Amino acid sequence: MTPSSWAGATTSATRWSGIAAALSARGRLVHSAGERRGFAATHRAVLDAVREGDPDAAETAMRDLLAQAGRDEAAL
């Protein structure tokens, strides 16, 4: 492994480690008050629309999911 490829691998590993830590912290915050009603349904709507190949429905479902995430975060 060359020094430049080592540096790139180290940077990537650090970046992913940071992302994983942030997602873990968010999960603890959002779910500390218990499971939000409809949590799985909003995620399922995105997945179903993508699987069905319906980009308009996928966009709408994702926007709904992000809006709910914003409301959840604001309520913390």
Side-chain angles (χ1 to χ4, degrees):
M1 184 174 273
T2 67
S4 63
S5 63
W6 173 255
T10 302
T11 301
S12 292
T14 301
R15 184 177 303 125
W16 284 113
S17 176
I19 291 169
L23 288 173
S24 177
R26 183 195 177 279
R28 286 191 306 275
L29 286 170
V30 169
H31 301 294
S32 64
E35 190 71 19
R36 181 180 56 78
R37 176 173 279 158
F39 173 81
T42 54
H43 287 78
R44 173 63 63 183
V46 174
L47 178 62
D48 290 346
V50 170
R51 283 185 174 163
E52 292 167 10
D54 187 341
D56 293 332
E59 179 181 1
T60 298
M62 192 67 224
R63 288 183 185 279
D64 291 346
L65 178 58
L66 291 172
Q68 184 60 54
R71 290 189 294 273
D72 290 345
E73 185 178 17
L76 292 177

